[in-house]
Amino acid sequence: MLFFASASLSSIGYSEYGGGQWGRDVDTFWAGLGMGLLLGLLALWVSQYRANRRLQVLLKRIQQHSASPHMSYESQIASAIATQGQSLDRLSDQVTNFRQILRQAPVGYLYVDDENRLLGCNLKAQSFLDFNQVDYDPPRLLLAIARSYELDQLIEDTREQQQLCQREWVFYSISPDPSNVSERPAHPLRGYGVPLQRGHVAIFLENRQEAVALMQQRDRWTSDVTHELKTPLTSIRLVAETLRNRVDDSLTSWVDRLLSEVMRLSHLVDDVLNLNQLDQPLPKIGEPDATNLIPLIYQAWQNVMPLAELKSVQLQYSGPDQHILKLHGELIYRLLINLLDNAIKYSPANAAVQVRVTTDALPTEPQSRAVLIEVIDSGPGFLDKDLPFVFDRFYRSDLARSRSKTAKGNSSTGLGLSIVRKIVTLHKGHIEAQNHPETSGAWLKVWLPESLRNLTTDTCL
C-alpha cells in the first residue's frame, strides 16, 4: 500500500509541479524513515539482549537445579525461585532443629560476640553458671552475668589462638544480692572453646561433678587398701628374713623369691601412698622454698649408686654448678630418684646416664622461662605405641620396658613416671617422653618454671 501511495504521490507531484524536485523530497523522506526504523530495531535488539544477559546472570546466581534450556529465562527464574524457597524452608527447619538440640543438650552451650557479650545459651549453661535470664536486649557482657574469670580467659585464649581450647576449673556461684550470703552450688567444669567468624566464640561446658566424685572414691578406696596392706607386708617381710637364716640351703632360693615379691608389693604400696599424698592440697605438702637444684641431682645419684655399681653405670652431668629455684625440694628429690632409677634399670652394663640442665622457654607458656632437666639412657627406649601412655598409672609396656628387662629385685610398679608427672604438675611445669636420636634410649625432659609465684593454697592436683 505504501508503494502505491508513493507512486500516486509521485505521479501527482510530477503532474502538478511537472518537475523532479518533488520526487527527490519523497525519496529523502522514505530513506530517513527506513534509517529510523533500522535504528529503532537495533536499539530494541540491544535492549532485549541486555535484558536477557541480566536475566542470565540473575539465573546463575539463584539457580540450584538444572532447568530446561528450552524454557524462557522468565520461566527458569520462576522455577529457580521456587527451588530457592524450598531450600530456605529446609534450612529454616534445620536451624530450628539445631536450636532445639542445643537448648536441650546435656552439655552447656554459650555463644559470645567479639566483645564477650552473651548472644545465646542453653538451659544447662544456665544451671552450671547459676543465672536465670537467657535473652538480653541489648546483649550484656558475659562476665557481668556469670562471674567466672576462668571462663573469660578460655574465651580469650580461643579467640587469640584460633583453635579448639580446653580448660578445667571449679565454678563458685556468687549471689548478685549482697544481703544474701547463703552457700550456693559449686560445679567442677570443663570448657571447650570453638573459634567462629568475626571474633565470635562458642563455649561448650561439661559438668565433671560425677567424674570428680568417682575419682575421689577411687583414690579413697586405694588409699584405704594400701594402708591396710602396709602392716601385713611388713610382717611377712620380717618373717621371710627370719626364715632365710633357718632353712636348708636347698630352700633358700624359695625364700629369696618370697622376699623379692614382698619387696615389690611394698614398693607398690609406697608408690600408691606417694601418689595419694600428692593428690592432697598444697598446705598438706608444704610451701616451696629457694633450693639449689644441682646438689639435689648428685644426692639423688648417691641414693641409686648401689644399683648403678652393680651394672657399672656412670653419671654424665652437663650444666651449671648451681641453679636456685623456688620449689619443693623433697618432691624434686623424689622426682630425680625415679628418673635416675629408671634410667639405670634399662641401661646396659658399662653404659652412662646423661643428665643435662639448661634454661629454656616453658612449652605451655612460651613467654615464661624455665629450667630444663634432661635424663637420657642407652636402653631399649619406648615403643611408639607406648609414648602417649607412659605417664599413666600402672601402665607397663608388654615388650620394650617390661618387668623382665629390669634388674633383679627392682621390678617396676608402673607408678614411677606417674609420680614424676604429678610432681611436675604441682610445680606448674611440663614433662615429655621421647627416644633420643643418638642413644636410642629413653629421653625424659622436665621443665620447671623459674618462678612459682602462681602457686596458691587452693590448688589441687
Side-chain angles (χ1 to χ4, degrees):
M1 181 179 295
L2 290 173
F3 173 75
F4 289 114
S6 176
S8 300
L9 288 172
S10 298
S11 61
I12 294 172
Y14 277 106
S15 61
E16 291 184 356
Y17 298 100
Q21 182 64 37
W22 174 260
R24 288 191 297 271
D25 293 342
V26 171
D27 292 339
T28 301
F29 168 76
W30 286 111
L33 181 61
M35 184 62 69
L37 288 174
L38 289 175
L39 292 175
L41 291 173
L42 180 61
L44 179 62
W45 179 85
V46 171
S47 177
Q48 186 67 28
Y49 175 79
R50 290 180 176 177
N52 288 339
R53 290 295 298 174
R54 286 195 294 269
L55 291 176
Q56 286 179 348
V57 173
L58 179 62
L59 183 61
K60 288 180 180 179
R61 293 177 61 183
I62 67 174
Q63 190 174 26
Q64 291 184 339
H65 70 293
S66 179
S68 174
H70 302 293
M71 297 171 60
S72 65
Y73 288 128
E74 290 82 358
S75 299
Q76 293 185 50
I77 290 175
S79 177
I81 291 175
T83 303
Q84 286 279 358
Q86 296 174 1
S87 299
L88 288 176
D89 291 339
R90 288 195 298 269
L91 290 175
S92 178
D93 293 340
Q94 291 180 7
V95 170
T96 302
N97 291 336
F98 288 149
R99 287 178 176 174
Q100 186 66 17
I101 291 172
L102 288 175
R103 184 170 181 79
Q104 301 296 333
V107 296
Y109 168 74
L110 298 169
Y111 177 43
V112 298
D113 63 9
D114 58 337
E115 297 181 359
N116 283 11
R117 295 178 299 181
L118 181 63
L119 301 180
C121 66
N122 66 353
L123 299 176
K124 279 295 182 181
Q126 292 178 246
S127 174
F128 294 163
L129 301 176
D130 195 25
F131 62 91
N132 298 321
Q133 189 173 349
V134 178
D135 299 322
Y136 293 91
D137 190 19
R140 291 184 59 191
L141 191 67
L142 176 62
L143 196 57
I145 302 172
R147 295 183 179 276
S148 174
Y149 294 96
E150 295 85 357
L151 176 60
D152 193 67
Q153 187 61 49
L154 173 61
I155 295 173
E156 291 298 329
D157 292 343
T158 304
R159 183 180 293 117
E160 179 180 349
Q161 300 178 21
Q162 283 299 300
Q163 62 182 9
L164 181 67
C165 294
Q166 176 181 325
R167 192 182 185 94
E168 293 187 13
W169 72 98
V170 178
F171 174 73
Y172 297 94
S173 177
I174 301 176
S175 174
D177 183 5
S179 62
N180 182 11
V181 293
S182 60
E183 184 176 351
R184 300 171 71 86
H187 300 290
L189 299 178
R190 174 184 291 170
Y192 302 88
V194 181
L196 302 175
Q197 298 293 329
R198 302 192 305 275
H200 292 201
V201 175
I203 299 294
F204 292 91
L205 298 175
E206 174 188 357
N207 189 352
R208 293 185 49 78
Q209 182 64 54
E210 184 176 353
V212 169
L214 288 174
M215 288 190 292
Q216 291 175 347
Q217 182 180 2
R218 179 204 64 186
D219 294 340
R220 187 164 49 250
W221 179 85
T222 305
S223 178
D224 293 343
V225 170
T226 50
H227 275 292
E228 292 298 326
L229 287 174
K230 194 169 182 64
T231 299
L233 284 174
T234 303
S235 299
I236 294 173
R237 178 181 175 182
L238 292 175
V239 171
E241 290 176 347
T242 303
L243 288 176
R244 191 180 187 282
N245 299 323
R246 299 185 180 185
V247 299
D248 295 336
D249 294 340
S250 60
L251 300 177
T252 302
S253 60
W254 292 96
V255 178
D256 289 340
R257 182 177 177 182
L258 174 62
L259 279 171
S260 176
E261 293 301 322
V262 171
M263 291 294 293
R264 188 174 74 87
L265 288 175
S266 297
H267 290 321
L268 175 61
V269 169
D270 291 339
D271 286 345
V272 172
L273 290 175
N274 288 335
L275 276 175
N276 289 335
Q277 181 186 7
L278 293 175
D279 284 333
Q280 302 302 317
L282 284 180
K284 296 184 180 181
I285 297 176
E287 293 298 327
D289 297 319
T291 306
N292 191 351
L293 175 65
I294 310 307
L296 284 181
I297 296 176
Y298 286 104
Q299 292 174 18
W301 180 258
Q302 289 295 326
N303 185 281
V304 297
M305 181 67 76
L307 179 60
E309 290 178 345
L310 288 175
K311 303 178 69 175
S312 299
V313 175
Q314 302 296 323
L315 171 66
Q316 289 185 357
Y317 170 77
S318 60
D321 294 333
Q322 65 175 5
H323 200 114
I324 307 298
L325 288 175
K326 191 175 182 181
L327 43 78
H328 298 273
E330 294 183 0
L331 296 183
I332 297 300
Y333 179 71
R334 189 185 307 173
L335 175 149
L336 292 169
I337 287 180
N338 284 343
L339 292 180
L340 293 174
D341 183 71
N342 278 346
I344 295 173
K345 285 179 181 178
Y346 301 111
S347 292
N350 302 312
V353 173
Q354 303 178 45
V355 178
R356 303 173 183 172
V357 176
T358 56
T359 302
D360 193 14
L362 189 64
T364 55
E365 298 179 13
Q367 70 278 8
S368 300
R369 303 299 297 173
V371 57
L372 172 60
I373 305 172
E374 301 173 83
V375 179
I376 306 168
D377 63 49
S378 302
F382 300 104
L383 295 179
D384 291 339
K385 68 180 184 65
D386 294 332
L387 283 174
F389 312 105
V390 294
F391 298 108
D392 293 349
R393 293 188 180 190
F394 298 107
Y395 184 81
R396 301 272 296 283
S397 173
D398 56 347
L399 291 176
R401 299 173 73 86
S402 63
R403 186 176 65 184
S404 61
K405 298 287 185 179
T406 62
K408 182 179 179 181
N410 291 282
S411 298
S412 173
T413 63
L415 290 174
L417 292 182
S418 298
I419 294 174
V420 169
R421 183 175 62 175
K422 280 285 187 180
I423 296 173
V424 172
T425 302
L426 178 65
H427 286 81
K428 306 295 185 182
H430 182 72
I431 185 170
E432 291 181 3
Q434 301 176 6
N435 290 325
H436 198 272
E438 297 178 2
T439 66
S440 300
W443 184 13
L444 278 300
K445 297 190 289 186
V446 175
W447 286 266
L448 298 176
E450 291 188 341
S451 174
L452 293 184
R453 59 180 178 273
N454 293 328
L455 283 176
T456 57
T457 57
D458 59 355
T459 301
C460 296
L461 293 174

PDB file of all heavy atoms in Angstrom, residues 352-378:
ATOM      1  N   ALA A 352      76.313 -45.191  80.315  1.00  0.00           N
ATOM      2  CA  ALA A 352      76.283 -43.914  81.036  1.00  0.00           C
ATOM      3  C   ALA A 352      74.869 -43.344  81.001  1.00  0.00           C
ATOM      4  O   ALA A 352      74.147 -43.501  80.007  1.00  0.00           O
ATOM      5  CB  ALA A 352      77.263 -42.921  80.420  1.00  0.00           C
ATOM      6  N   VAL A 353      74.496 -42.703  82.084  1.00  0.00           N
ATOM      7  CA  VAL A 353      73.228 -41.965  82.166  1.00  0.00           C
ATOM      8  C   VAL A 353      73.558 -40.485  82.096  1.00  0.00           C
ATOM      9  O   VAL A 353      74.320 -39.966  82.918  1.00  0.00           O
ATOM     10  CB  VAL A 353      72.476 -42.296  83.463  1.00  0.00           C
ATOM     11  CG1 VAL A 353      71.257 -41.387  83.610  1.00  0.00           C
ATOM     12  CG2 VAL A 353      72.053 -43.753  83.480  1.00  0.00           C
ATOM     13  N   GLN A 354      73.002 -39.818  81.089  1.00  0.00           N
ATOM     14  CA  GLN A 354      73.280 -38.400  80.890  1.00  0.00           C
ATOM     15  C   GLN A 354      72.206 -37.544  81.569  1.00  0.00           C
ATOM     16  O   GLN A 354      71.008 -37.803  81.409  1.00  0.00           O
ATOM     17  CB  GLN A 354      73.314 -38.064  79.396  1.00  0.00           C
ATOM     18  CG  GLN A 354      74.308 -38.872  78.587  1.00  0.00           C
ATOM     19  CD  GLN A 354      74.261 -38.519  77.121  1.00  0.00           C
ATOM     20  OE1 GLN A 354      74.230 -37.343  76.751  1.00  0.00           O
ATOM     21  NE2 GLN A 354      74.240 -39.543  76.276  1.00  0.00           N
ATOM     22  N   VAL A 355      72.668 -36.540  82.296  1.00  0.00           N
ATOM     23  CA  VAL A 355      71.771 -35.563  82.917  1.00  0.00           C
ATOM     24  C   VAL A 355      72.227 -34.178  82.477  1.00  0.00           C
ATOM     25  O   VAL A 355      73.387 -33.806  82.689  1.00  0.00           O
ATOM     26  CB  VAL A 355      71.774 -35.668  84.447  1.00  0.00           C
ATOM     27  CG1 VAL A 355      70.872 -34.590  85.062  1.00  0.00           C
ATOM     28  CG2 VAL A 355      71.318 -37.055  84.897  1.00  0.00           C
ATOM     29  N   ARG A 356      71.310 -33.440  81.850  1.00  0.00           N
ATOM     30  CA  ARG A 356      71.633 -32.097  81.367  1.00  0.00           C
ATOM     31  C   ARG A 356      70.690 -31.086  82.015  1.00  0.00           C
ATOM     32  O   ARG A 356      69.488 -31.346  82.149  1.00  0.00           O
ATOM     33  CB  ARG A 356      71.489 -32.019  79.850  1.00  0.00           C
ATOM     34  CG  ARG A 356      72.344 -33.026  79.083  1.00  0.00           C
ATOM     35  CD  ARG A 356      72.009 -32.984  77.604  1.00  0.00           C
ATOM     36  NE  ARG A 356      72.749 -33.973  76.835  1.00  0.00           N
ATOM     37  CZ  ARG A 356      72.520 -34.243  75.545  1.00  0.00           C
ATOM     38  NH1 ARG A 356      71.582 -33.571  74.879  1.00  0.00           N
ATOM     39  NH2 ARG A 356      73.225 -35.171  74.927  1.00  0.00           N
ATOM     40  N   VAL A 357      71.241 -29.939  82.376  1.00  0.00           N
ATOM     41  CA  VAL A 357      70.446 -28.844  82.949  1.00  0.00           C
ATOM     42  C   VAL A 357      70.724 -27.585  82.135  1.00  0.00           C
ATOM     43  O   VAL A 357      71.882 -27.145  82.036  1.00  0.00           O
ATOM     44  CB  VAL A 357      70.785 -28.613  84.432  1.00  0.00           C
ATOM     45  CG1 VAL A 357      70.009 -27.405  84.962  1.00  0.00           C
ATOM     46  CG2 VAL A 357      70.455 -29.857  85.252  1.00  0.00           C
ATOM     47  N   THR A 358      69.679 -27.041  81.538  1.00  0.00           N
ATOM     48  CA  THR A 358      69.779 -25.815  80.744  1.00  0.00           C
ATOM     49  C   THR A 358      68.582 -24.926  81.051  1.00  0.00           C
ATOM     50  O   THR A 358      67.693 -25.297  81.818  1.00  0.00           O
ATOM     51  CB  THR A 358      69.825 -26.129  79.235  1.00  0.00           C
ATOM     52  OG1 THR A 358      68.662 -26.914  78.884  1.00  0.00           O
ATOM     53  CG2 THR A 358      71.085 -26.908  78.864  1.00  0.00           C
ATOM     54  N   THR A 359      68.576 -23.755  80.437  1.00  0.00           N
ATOM     55  CA  THR A 359      67.451 -22.832  80.565  1.00  0.00           C
ATOM     56  C   THR A 359      66.716 -22.768  79.238  1.00  0.00           C
ATOM     57  O   THR A 359      67.330 -22.668  78.172  1.00  0.00           O
ATOM     58  CB  THR A 359      67.927 -21.425  80.959  1.00  0.00           C
ATOM     59  OG1 THR A 359      68.648 -21.523  82.191  1.00  0.00           O
ATOM     60  CG2 THR A 359      66.747 -20.479  81.143  1.00  0.00           C
ATOM     61  N   ASP A 360      65.397 -22.839  79.299  1.00  0.00           N
ATOM     62  CA  ASP A 360      64.589 -22.895  78.083  1.00  0.00           C
ATOM     63  C   ASP A 360      63.243 -22.232  78.358  1.00  0.00           C
ATOM     64  O   ASP A 360      62.904 -21.940  79.511  1.00  0.00           O
ATOM     65  CB  ASP A 360      64.404 -24.357  77.645  1.00  0.00           C
ATOM     66  CG  ASP A 360      63.848 -24.484  76.236  1.00  0.00           C
ATOM     67  OD1 ASP A 360      63.855 -23.479  75.517  1.00  0.00           O
ATOM     68  OD2 ASP A 360      63.407 -25.577  75.865  1.00  0.00           O
ATOM     69  N   ALA A 361      62.465 -22.012  77.286  1.00  0.00           N
ATOM     70  CA  ALA A 361      61.107 -21.480  77.428  1.00  0.00           C
ATOM     71  C   ALA A 361      60.164 -22.612  77.834  1.00  0.00           C
ATOM     72  O   ALA A 361      60.314 -23.753  77.386  1.00  0.00           O
ATOM     73  CB  ALA A 361      60.640 -20.845  76.126  1.00  0.00           C
ATOM     74  N   LEU A 362      59.204 -22.302  78.668  1.00  0.00           N
ATOM     75  CA  LEU A 362      58.217 -23.279  79.090  1.00  0.00           C
ATOM     76  C   LEU A 362      57.285 -23.587  77.913  1.00  0.00           C
ATOM     77  O   LEU A 362      56.668 -22.662  77.362  1.00  0.00           O
ATOM     78  CB  LEU A 362      57.418 -22.741  80.279  1.00  0.00           C
ATOM     79  CG  LEU A 362      56.480 -23.716  80.988  1.00  0.00           C
ATOM     80  CD1 LEU A 362      57.275 -24.855  81.626  1.00  0.00           C
ATOM     81  CD2 LEU A 362      55.657 -22.982  82.049  1.00  0.00           C
ATOM     82  N   PRO A 363      57.167 -24.843  77.475  1.00  0.00           N
ATOM     83  CA  PRO A 363      56.355 -25.153  76.284  1.00  0.00           C
ATOM     84  C   PRO A 363      54.908 -24.692  76.400  1.00  0.00           C
ATOM     85  O   PRO A 363      54.315 -24.249  75.416  1.00  0.00           O
ATOM     86  CB  PRO A 363      56.443 -26.686  76.190  1.00  0.00           C
ATOM     87  CG  PRO A 363      57.731 -27.033  76.867  1.00  0.00           C
ATOM     88  CD  PRO A 363      57.862 -26.034  77.984  1.00  0.00           C
ATOM     89  N   THR A 364      54.315 -24.786  77.590  1.00  0.00           N
ATOM     90  CA  THR A 364      52.925 -24.374  77.756  1.00  0.00           C
ATOM     91  C   THR A 364      52.755 -22.863  77.830  1.00  0.00           C
ATOM     92  O   THR A 364      51.668 -22.354  77.577  1.00  0.00           O
ATOM     93  CB  THR A 364      52.336 -25.014  79.021  1.00  0.00           C
ATOM     94  OG1 THR A 364      53.177 -24.687  80.143  1.00  0.00           O
ATOM     95  CG2 THR A 364      52.279 -26.524  78.866  1.00  0.00           C
ATOM     96  N   GLU A 365      53.821 -22.140  78.191  1.00  0.00           N
ATOM     97  CA  GLU A 365      53.787 -20.680  78.255  1.00  0.00           C
ATOM     98  C   GLU A 365      55.110 -20.152  77.698  1.00  0.00           C
ATOM     99  O   GLU A 365      56.065 -19.911  78.458  1.00  0.00           O
ATOM    100  CB  GLU A 365      53.588 -20.193  79.694  1.00  0.00           C
ATOM    101  CG  GLU A 365      52.280 -20.639  80.330  1.00  0.00           C
ATOM    102  CD  GLU A 365      52.139 -20.147  81.746  1.00  0.00           C
ATOM    103  OE1 GLU A 365      52.934 -19.263  82.146  1.00  0.00           O
ATOM    104  OE2 GLU A 365      51.265 -20.638  82.464  1.00  0.00           O
ATOM    105  N   PRO A 366      55.209 -19.988  76.380  1.00  0.00           N
ATOM    106  CA  PRO A 366      56.489 -19.606  75.760  1.00  0.00           C
ATOM    107  C   PRO A 366      57.082 -18.320  76.309  1.00  0.00           C
ATOM    108  O   PRO A 366      58.294 -18.104  76.207  1.00  0.00           O
ATOM    109  CB  PRO A 366      56.113 -19.461  74.277  1.00  0.00           C
ATOM    110  CG  PRO A 366      54.898 -20.304  74.095  1.00  0.00           C
ATOM    111  CD  PRO A 366      54.143 -20.204  75.387  1.00  0.00           C
ATOM    112  N   GLN A 367      56.253 -17.458  76.907  1.00  0.00           N
ATOM    113  CA  GLN A 367      56.783 -16.210  77.442  1.00  0.00           C
ATOM    114  C   GLN A 367      57.453 -16.403  78.802  1.00  0.00           C
ATOM    115  O   GLN A 367      58.094 -15.476  79.313  1.00  0.00           O
ATOM    116  CB  GLN A 367      55.663 -15.166  77.562  1.00  0.00           C
ATOM    117  CG  GLN A 367      54.633 -15.444  78.640  1.00  0.00           C
ATOM    118  CD  GLN A 367      53.568 -16.417  78.198  1.00  0.00           C
ATOM    119  OE1 GLN A 367      53.665 -17.002  77.127  1.00  0.00           O
ATOM    120  NE2 GLN A 367      52.531 -16.579  79.002  1.00  0.00           N
ATOM    121  N   SER A 368      57.295 -17.590  79.406  1.00  0.00           N
ATOM    122  CA  SER A 368      57.870 -17.859  80.720  1.00  0.00           C
ATOM    123  C   SER A 368      59.164 -18.655  80.572  1.00  0.00           C
ATOM    124  O   SER A 368      59.255 -19.547  79.732  1.00  0.00           O
ATOM    125  CB  SER A 368      56.877 -18.635  81.594  1.00  0.00           C
ATOM    126  OG  SER A 368      55.680 -17.904  81.767  1.00  0.00           O
ATOM    127  N   ARG A 369      60.148 -18.322  81.413  1.00  0.00           N
ATOM    128  CA  ARG A 369      61.418 -19.038  81.411  1.00  0.00           C
ATOM    129  C   ARG A 369      61.350 -20.214  82.375  1.00  0.00           C
ATOM    130  O   ARG A 369      60.651 -20.166  83.400  1.00  0.00           O
ATOM    131  CB  ARG A 369      62.566 -18.116  81.798  1.00  0.00           C
ATOM    132  CG  ARG A 369      62.708 -16.893  80.915  1.00  0.00           C
ATOM    133  CD  ARG A 369      62.983 -17.285  79.469  1.00  0.00           C
ATOM    134  NE  ARG A 369      64.255 -17.997  79.337  1.00  0.00           N
ATOM    135  CZ  ARG A 369      64.662 -18.566  78.217  1.00  0.00           C
ATOM    136  NH1 ARG A 369      63.891 -18.548  77.146  1.00  0.00           N
ATOM    137  NH2 ARG A 369      65.829 -19.177  78.173  1.00  0.00           N
ATOM    138  N   ALA A 370      62.089 -21.283  82.039  1.00  0.00           N
ATOM    139  CA  ALA A 370      62.071 -22.482  82.865  1.00  0.00           C
ATOM    140  C   ALA A 370      63.439 -23.144  82.800  1.00  0.00           C
ATOM    141  O   ALA A 370      64.218 -22.912  81.870  1.00  0.00           O
ATOM    142  CB  ALA A 370      60.991 -23.449  82.392  1.00  0.00           C
ATOM    143  N   VAL A 371      63.726 -23.971  83.813  1.00  0.00           N
ATOM    144  CA  VAL A 371      64.930 -24.788  83.788  1.00  0.00           C
ATOM    145  C   VAL A 371      64.543 -26.141  83.190  1.00  0.00           C
ATOM    146  O   VAL A 371      63.523 -26.731  83.549  1.00  0.00           O
ATOM    147  CB  VAL A 371      65.529 -24.954  85.191  1.00  0.00           C
ATOM    148  CG1 VAL A 371      64.522 -25.556  86.165  1.00  0.00           C
ATOM    149  CG2 VAL A 371      66.784 -25.811  85.146  1.00  0.00           C
ATOM    150  N   LEU A 372      65.346 -26.607  82.245  1.00  0.00           N
ATOM    151  CA  LEU A 372      65.088 -27.869  81.556  1.00  0.00           C
ATOM    152  C   LEU A 372      66.043 -28.934  82.081  1.00  0.00           C
ATOM    153  O   LEU A 372      67.264 -28.778  82.019  1.00  0.00           O
ATOM    154  CB  LEU A 372      65.258 -27.696  80.046  1.00  0.00           C
ATOM    155  CG  LEU A 372      65.218 -28.973  79.196  1.00  0.00           C
ATOM    156  CD1 LEU A 372      63.875 -29.687  79.360  1.00  0.00           C
ATOM    157  CD2 LEU A 372      65.481 -28.645  77.731  1.00  0.00           C
ATOM    158  N   ILE A 373      65.468 -30.025  82.607  1.00  0.00           N
ATOM    159  CA  ILE A 373      66.250 -31.174  83.085  1.00  0.00           C
ATOM    160  C   ILE A 373      66.032 -32.318  82.102  1.00  0.00           C
ATOM    161  O   ILE A 373      64.888 -32.745  81.871  1.00  0.00           O
ATOM    162  CB  ILE A 373      65.816 -31.597  84.495  1.00  0.00           C
ATOM    163  CG1 ILE A 373      65.888 -30.406  85.457  1.00  0.00           C
ATOM    164  CG2 ILE A 373      66.667 -32.751  84.997  1.00  0.00           C
ATOM    165  CD1 ILE A 373      65.298 -30.704  86.827  1.00  0.00           C
ATOM    166  N   GLU A 374      67.116 -32.833  81.540  1.00  0.00           N
ATOM    167  CA  GLU A 374      67.041 -33.947  80.599  1.00  0.00           C
ATOM    168  C   GLU A 374      67.772 -35.150  81.180  1.00  0.00           C
ATOM    169  O   GLU A 374      68.906 -35.027  81.640  1.00  0.00           O
ATOM    170  CB  GLU A 374      67.668 -33.573  79.261  1.00  0.00           C
ATOM    171  CG  GLU A 374      67.019 -32.364  78.591  1.00  0.00           C
ATOM    172  CD  GLU A 374      67.780 -31.940  77.356  1.00  0.00           C
ATOM    173  OE1 GLU A 374      67.552 -32.531  76.278  1.00  0.00           O
ATOM    174  OE2 GLU A 374      68.617 -31.024  77.474  1.00  0.00           O
ATOM    175  N   VAL A 375      67.113 -36.302  81.169  1.00  0.00           N
ATOM    176  CA  VAL A 375      67.706 -37.556  81.622  1.00  0.00           C
ATOM    177  C   VAL A 375      67.656 -38.529  80.445  1.00  0.00           C
ATOM    178  O   VAL A 375      66.581 -38.853  79.935  1.00  0.00           O
ATOM    179  CB  VAL A 375      66.962 -38.131  82.836  1.00  0.00           C
ATOM    180  CG1 VAL A 375      67.587 -39.462  83.258  1.00  0.00           C
ATOM    181  CG2 VAL A 375      66.991 -37.144  83.996  1.00  0.00           C
ATOM    182  N   ILE A 376      68.832 -39.002  80.011  1.00  0.00           N
ATOM    183  CA  ILE A 376      68.949 -39.826  78.811  1.00  0.00           C
ATOM    184  C   ILE A 376      69.677 -41.112  79.166  1.00  0.00           C
ATOM    185  O   ILE A 376      70.743 -41.082  79.793  1.00  0.00           O
ATOM    186  CB  ILE A 376      69.720 -39.079  77.698  1.00  0.00           C
ATOM    187  CG1 ILE A 376      69.080 -37.714  77.425  1.00  0.00           C
ATOM    188  CG2 ILE A 376      69.794 -39.910  76.426  1.00  0.00           C
ATOM    189  CD1 ILE A 376      69.934 -36.802  76.559  1.00  0.00           C
ATOM    190  N   ASP A 377      69.101 -42.257  78.774  1.00  0.00           N
ATOM    191  CA  ASP A 377      69.789 -43.531  78.974  1.00  0.00           C
ATOM    192  C   ASP A 377      70.079 -44.176  77.627  1.00  0.00           C
ATOM    193  O   ASP A 377      69.726 -43.644  76.572  1.00  0.00           O
ATOM    194  CB  ASP A 377      68.972 -44.459  79.887  1.00  0.00           C
ATOM    195  CG  ASP A 377      67.629 -44.852  79.289  1.00  0.00           C
ATOM    196  OD1 ASP A 377      67.592 -45.274  78.111  1.00  0.00           O
ATOM    197  OD2 ASP A 377      66.609 -44.768  80.000  1.00  0.00           O
ATOM    198  N   SER A 378      70.718 -45.333  77.663  1.00  0.00           N
ATOM    199  CA  SER A 378      71.094 -46.054  76.441  1.00  0.00           C
ATOM    200  C   SER A 378      70.339 -47.374  76.324  1.00  0.00           C
ATOM    201  O   SER A 378      70.817 -48.308  75.676  1.00  0.00           O
ATOM    202  CB  SER A 378      72.610 -46.319  76.433  1.00  0.00           C
ATOM    203  OG  SER A 378      73.340 -45.118  76.525  1.00  0.00           O
TER     204      SER A 378
END
